[in-house]
Amino acid sequence: MKQFVSVNDVKNVTQLVQDALDSKANPFGEKKIGQNKTLGLLFFNPSLRTRLSTQKAAKNLGMSVMSMDLNTHGWRLEFEDGAIMNSDKAEHIKEGAAVISQYCDIIGVRTFPSLTDQEKDYQETILSQFIKHASVPVISLESATRHPLQSLTDLITIKEHQKTNRPKIVLSWAPHPKALPQAVANSFSEWMIAADMDLTITHPKGYELSPDFIKNTPIEYDQKKAFEGADFIYTKNWSSFNDYGKIIQPKSNWMITAEKMAWTHEAYFMHCLPVRRNVVVADEVLDSEKSLTIKQANNRTYAAQAVLKNILK
Ligand code: SN0
């Protein structure tokens, strides 16, 4: 694997899930793979799970890790080619990425979308500039349009809990006070399609995702109909893609409750976290035995470990 920014970088998704499960079964058995190698983690945005689980994964592989919050501790970076840098940006990505590449064998980058400029966000300007100017492999720690480490984790967690060959998986929009990226939902769809899962997406009108990610996945605007027969309910808020970055108030309450979970086929509840309790999901669901959220977060380590070992090999 030369980079990890989307499912398209993975030759064999089933094998990658197996690699993660192998790491999970024997997390410290791979200490030699990363000997004398350094992982650099660069954050433009907050992170809890991604930061800690990726560090842990790297250490399980014997790597050393450096991480940096670029907004607070780095120079402000310029990403435009040919820019006249006479304003607030002190360092160009050309030097930045080239220099970091000399210190690190793999670079991880977290960069959220602006949610104001759809074209720039969906061109992945920041991540692609890192890839272009770095001389070592780049992994996405969530970019403007995708969160591949999360989606790999979700697939691993589904594989561990599925009772049938092709379980019904429902990606359900849920309310949120803030405008959030489409990244987790885009990525989840892409990975479920790649793994040939039976995916349905449900959301209020106006929250349609980009067809580039969801392809011909069925959309059901009636949350109740969508939930019928579901084995997994994957919940996530996202802001509008078409009315870019906007919040459109739906007519009914889309929060996940025990009453709604009862419409399903005893489905598991999934969310990538962090989650707003009693806005996205009611306590009764998040605290129930059907909630996989803490187990998902645990699998973040093994997803990262599988990706890092594939890049190092
Ligand atoms: C991020 C997102 O992409 O939706 C990261 C998820 C892994 N989530 C948030 O920014 C939530 C922030 C909040 O205020 O609840």
Side-chain angles (χ1 to χ4, degrees), residues 276-295:
R276 304 285 191 122
R277 281 178 174 262
N278 303 310
V279 176
V280 169
V281 54
D283 283 340
E284 64 205 18
V285 176
L286 198 56
D287 295 331
S288 77
E289 283 189 353
K290 285 290 179 179
S291 173
L292 296 179
T293 53
I294 306 301
K295 289 178 176 158

Side-chain angles (χ1 to χ4, degrees), residues 192-259:
M192 291 306 123
I193 293 166
D196 192 34
M197 292 292 189
D198 175 11
L199 178 67
T200 299
I201 302 178
T202 183
H203 56 68
K205 288 218 164 89
Y207 282 101
E208 289 75 15
L209 293 162
S210 161
D212 291 344
F213 293 89
I214 70 162
K215 313 283 183 204
N216 46 20
T217 301
I219 298 171
E220 174 55 72
Y221 294 109
D222 182 335
Q223 198 181 25
K224 184 171 186 188
K225 271 194 197 149
F227 276 36
E228 280 164 12
D231 299 296
F232 293 88
I233 300 296
Y234 193 97
T235 304
K236 183 70 184 82
N237 168 268
W238 61 88
S239 58
S240 175
F241 172 72
N242 290 322
D243 192 1
Y244 194 62
K246 295 288 182 309
I247 295 178
I248 306 155
Q249 223 46 63
K251 289 195 185 80
S252 58
N253 191 349
W254 278 67
M255 179 172 78
I256 311 298
T257 59
E259 192 190 332

